[in-house]
Amino acid sequence: MRYAAIDIGSNAVRLLIADVIQNNKTVSFKKNTLIRVPLRLGDDAFLDKLISPNKTEELIKTMVAFRNLIDVYKVSDYMACATSAMREARNGSSLVAKIKAEAGLDLEIVEGQREANIIYASHIEQSLDRKKNYLYIDVGGGSTELSVFSNGELISSRSFNLGGIRILDNQDKDETWAEMKDWVKNVAQSYKNLSGIGTGGNINKLFKMAEGKDGSPLTFTKLRELYSYLNSFSLKDRINVLGLNQDRADVIIPASEIYLTVMKWGGVKQIFVPRVGLVDGLIQLMIDKNFPD
């Protein structure tokens, strides 16, 4: 059995096709194929509040291709979600209808809290020490989702309109930074020795660059060193010398700033990077739906 998950983000669009594995009463999944297309819808949505005809055409072509792959892989269930860019685009709902008509895909534009809940559906906190307190930081192109877990339970959660693409486009607002700082400070004060959990394409890349071992955290100091190292190169050299993808080389700088700033506010000295995202959460939601306890 195979499931598919589509994430239409502000920086990239992703398709994950996963094989569902049943072992007695335990149901899990193994990633089969992951495709990432860097459409960068956020540039349109955050600046013009509209997805342009050019980007619309590229998105429709991508969705048709994803639909064909879903059929070829004989997927039995799928979920498709769009996040911050489509939330802000005035033509978001008309694009949903267009994708349904031309690609035959049902797409949900999710609000920030729903986006956070989907990511948490992958049950990352279960693999960590339940006795510890965690500040969960998910940085996307258009929004940052923050949550606090204590004893394995979700205590508090907020979504903020701050993300890598939004900062690159100078569309981040001082009041949003202030709101996020207040939230982190107020929540963090209640919990001592907070560890971080980081998700998103940029923290995954930073963790890979740090050559961290799976399960071991990235320290605040190491993350700051990596940020300074990357920032010492021009955009061109981050692409040509360091070998970063063009759509990663620019956005990784402001995304790093968000992780570092939130960790500093929360007194977080280390961050675990489980390398999961929205698509993983969507696959888990389908498992929970189709294999109820």
Side-chain angles (χ1 to χ4, degrees), residues 39-244:
L39 291 186
R40 197 157 279 195
L41 299 178
D43 281 342
D44 284 2
F46 305 143
L47 291 169
D48 304 323
K49 307 301 178 190
L50 206 66
I51 306 296
S52 67
N54 183 41
K55 288 275 171 84
T56 294
E57 185 183 352
E58 289 179 356
L59 178 60
I60 297 296
K61 283 180 179 176
T62 304
M63 290 301 105
V64 170
F66 284 4
R67 172 81 253 186
N68 288 334
L69 284 168
I70 284 170
D71 292 343
V72 168
Y73 274 88
K74 297 181 173 54
V75 165
S76 57
D77 199 3
Y78 78 90
M79 286 182 75
C81 288
T83 57
S84 190
M86 291 275 277
R87 279 200 292 268
E88 292 201 19
R90 291 196 304 273
N91 56 342
S93 55
S94 66
L95 272 176
V96 169
K98 201 163 184 160
I99 288 167
K100 174 67 174 174
E102 298 193 31
L105 291 170
D106 290 308
L107 172 67
E108 176 191 359
I109 298 177
V110 295
E111 291 304 315
Q113 190 57 57
R114 164 88 167 136
E115 181 181 352
N117 293 343
I118 292 169
I119 297 166
Y120 310 145
S122 53
H123 304 307
I124 294 162
E125 77 287 348
Q126 290 180 3
S127 64
L128 299 168
D129 188 343
R130 292 179 69 87
K131 294 173 187 170
K132 289 186 179 176
N133 302 315
Y134 295 96
L135 176 59
Y136 196 131
I137 311 165
D138 179 78
V139 178
S143 64
T144 294
E145 276 68 48
L146 301 179
S147 293
V148 170
F149 284 93
S150 183
N151 298 319
E153 299 291 323
L154 177 62
I155 304 298
S156 185
S157 184
R158 272 284 298 275
S159 178
F160 298 91
N161 283 338
L162 285 169
I165 304 296
R166 203 183 288 271
I167 294 172
L168 280 178
D169 291 340
N170 294 313
Q171 297 302 305
D172 56 316
K173 296 177 180 175
D174 290 343
E175 54 263 38
T176 314
W177 281 103
E179 278 175 29
M180 189 159 77
K181 183 177 184 178
D182 287 345
W183 188 89
V184 173
K185 291 278 190 182
N186 289 334
V187 172
Q189 281 172 2
S190 309
Y191 298 94
K192 300 301 177 191
N193 302 318
L194 273 174
S195 288
I197 305 173
T199 54
N202 292 293
I203 195 80
N204 290 347
K205 184 64 181 176
L206 289 159
F207 186 75
K208 191 175 179 182
M209 290 180 72
E211 298 179 343
K213 293 178 182 176
D214 284 348
S216 63
L218 191 60
T219 65
F220 177 85
T221 304
K222 181 64 178 175
L223 185 57
R224 189 173 55 194
E225 285 173 2
L226 269 173
Y227 165 73
S228 298
Y229 174 71
L230 287 167
N231 213 15
S232 70
F233 288 83
S234 66
L235 174 59
K236 186 178 176 182
D237 283 346
R238 287 199 292 271
I239 297 166
N240 296 329
V241 178
L242 299 182
L244 293 180

